[in-house]
């Protein structure tokens, strides 16, 4: 997993896999810890479940 959670400024979904196809690389917010009660990216969760989250 990535060392931080990222969210596009235009979205309310948080990503945590740097190999996610939608991983924010510009205009994003970051949090060091899992944002409680917030939506998580379904692709990131799928990658984590298949042990493919980088
Ligand atoms: Zn994602």
């Amino acid at each position: 997993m990535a060392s931080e959670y990222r969210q596009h400024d235009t979205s309310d979904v948080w990503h945590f896999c740097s190999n996610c196809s939608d991983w924010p690389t510009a205009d994003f917010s970051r949090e060091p810890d899992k944002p409680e009660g917030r939506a998580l990216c379904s692709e990131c969760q799928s990658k984590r479940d298949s042990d493919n989250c980088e």
Side-chain angles (χ1 to χ4, degrees), residues 4-44:
E4 64 186 14
Y5 288 75
R6 293 188 182 187
Q7 175 195 57
H8 289 284
D9 288 344
T10 54
S11 169
D12 61 359
V13 174
W14 290 87
H15 301 265
F16 51 87
C17 299
S18 60
N19 59 336
C20 175
S21 62
D22 198 31
W23 179 246
T25 56
D27 299 323
F28 61 86
S29 304
R30 64 180 69 184
E31 292 287 346
D33 300 308
K34 181 175 182 287
E36 289 298 329
R38 309 295 289 277
L40 296 175
C41 170
S42 58
E43 181 176 333
C44 287

